[in-house]
Amino acid sequence: MDDKNKIMVRKLNLWYTDNHVLKDVDLDIKENKVTALIGPSGCGKTTFIRALNRMNDLIEGVRVTGEVFLDGRNIYDKDVDVVSLRKRVGMVFQKPNPFPMSIFDNVAYGPRIHGIGDKKKLREIVKESLVNAALWDEVKDRLNMNALDLSGGQQQRLCIARTLAVKPEVILFDEPCSALDPIATGKIEDLIHELKKQYTIVIVTHNMQQAARVSDYTGYFLLGEMIEFGKTKQIFENPKKKLTEDYITGRFG
């Protein structure tokens, strides 16, 4: 049985003023799977995932053509509510970016913004999100502690908990382990493996071993183009394109 598409990208182009960053990208992102995007720095991977929840809209001079369908609806239609879209498609950034407030308030921030004020309900959401981010056991006795006092790996899992708290359907990870040590990286990778049972995940990574370990599908980006996309095993063991093979074997990039 084929995996179900959660997001379908068709002929996506993006310009920063005159700089053509994404070029006719076509891609199907499967539901409840991990899709990894690899490729050299500056090839458009981060811009691409930011196009999946319209984060690039916040940058002056951006122009987008093409279509991105989330459950069959083009997110670039004029009448799409971008706030609702970003609730459905959450993002975890490269550097952990907890707010300078308590652990509890970090996780409760999104639900409060979306109108949840009931303290009991908020406590339930915070606990569930921290449990699902594999952080609860480490912080349950110090939820009032400033989040900035956590270690880097804990801060990144807190940011994941904060994303989970608004009940997204898709989570975009932009090199979530690049600032972390190997032990913290292992915890995040284990977590991603667990999260795909409930969420659709897209991860940008420079670490090809990581892509091979955590993902079901892999896409290779080069100079704004999707050179090759397929099941991770096939991409790493039997790439169809020479450009892909050169990158994976270290002859390029």
Side-chain angles (χ1 to χ4, degrees):
M1 193 177 80
D2 279 352
D3 296 325
K4 179 177 175 243
N5 290 334
K6 181 70 176 173
I7 296 175
M8 295 190 299
V9 180
R10 297 292 178 266
K11 295 278 176 281
L12 181 67
N13 286 269
L14 183 142
W15 291 262
Y16 292 132
T17 317
D18 296 330
N19 185 13
H20 194 178
V21 183
L22 298 176
K23 301 164 186 171
D24 281 336
V25 178
D26 284 327
L27 182 63
D28 290 342
I29 292 166
K30 307 294 184 183
E31 191 165 58
N32 294 112
K33 300 290 178 190
V34 179
T35 299
L37 302 174
I38 59 172
S41 292
C43 66
K45 305 182 297 295
T46 293
T47 298
F48 174 75
I49 65 165
R50 289 171 66 97
L52 302 181
N53 68 352
R54 293 185 50 175
M55 290 283 284
N56 295 311
D57 291 16
L58 305 168
I59 301 167
E60 206 172 323
V62 162
R63 186 161 63 88
V64 178
T65 64
E67 297 167 311
V68 177
F69 297 99
L70 175 63
D71 289 336
R73 172 100 197 270
N74 182 13
I75 68 169
Y76 283 92
D77 280 350
K78 293 273 189 291
D79 57 348
V80 165
D81 177 358
V82 179
V83 175
S84 299
L85 169 67
R86 291 187 192 135
K87 183 170 182 274
R88 293 178 67 194
V89 185
M91 191 157 188
V92 176
F93 296 92
Q94 183 171 359
K95 280 203 176 80
N97 59 341
F99 303 137
M101 52 178 77
S102 73
I103 293 169
F104 184 94
D105 288 338
N106 262 272
V107 184
Y109 184 85
R112 281 178 175 142
I113 291 241
H114 291 288
I116 295 174
D118 180 68
K119 287 198 172 86
K120 182 167 177 277
K121 180 75 179 148
L122 281 172
R123 280 198 298 272
E124 286 169 6
I125 291 171
V126 168
K127 179 177 179 180
E128 183 190 5
S129 303
L130 288 167
V131 166
N132 288 340
L135 189 59
W136 174 251
D137 288 343
E138 295 168 45
V139 302
K140 63 186 176 191
D141 300 324
R142 44 189 184 138
L143 295 176
N144 293 322
M145 179 179 117
N146 190 317
L148 299 177
D149 292 334
L150 293 169
S151 72
Q154 289 173 325
Q155 286 187 14
Q156 192 62 298
R157 279 180 285 145
L158 177 67
C159 294
I160 294 170
R162 193 173 67 197
T163 302
L164 299 181
V166 296
K167 300 276 189 278
E169 297 161 44
V170 180
I171 306 175
L172 311 172
F173 287 92
D174 186 10
E175 292 188 57
C177 304
S178 67
L180 304 181
D181 63 57
I183 291 171
T185 295
K187 285 186 176 172
I188 301 280
E189 289 182 6
D190 290 344
L191 180 55
I192 287 171
H193 192 69
E194 280 301 304
L195 290 175
K196 78 173 179 182
K197 294 170 186 168
Q198 297 181 65
Y199 307 93
T200 299
I201 292 175
V202 185
I203 177 169
V204 167
T205 178
H206 273 298
N207 182 329
M208 280 189 282
Q209 289 82 10
Q210 181 172 75
R213 282 193 301 264
V214 304
S215 70
D216 303 286
Y217 292 87
T218 296
Y220 171 49
F221 262 98
L222 182 62
L223 299 174
E225 294 181 47
M226 178 64 71
I227 302 298
E228 186 170 353
F229 181 80
K231 290 200 166 169
T232 295
K233 190 172 165 59
Q234 176 259 309
I235 293 285
F236 280 95
E237 293 178 9
N238 188 25
K240 293 177 177 151
K241 302 276 181 75
K242 186 168 186 315
L243 282 169
T244 311
E245 186 182 353
D246 286 350
Y247 184 71
I248 282 166
T249 56
R251 285 196 287 271
F252 167 75

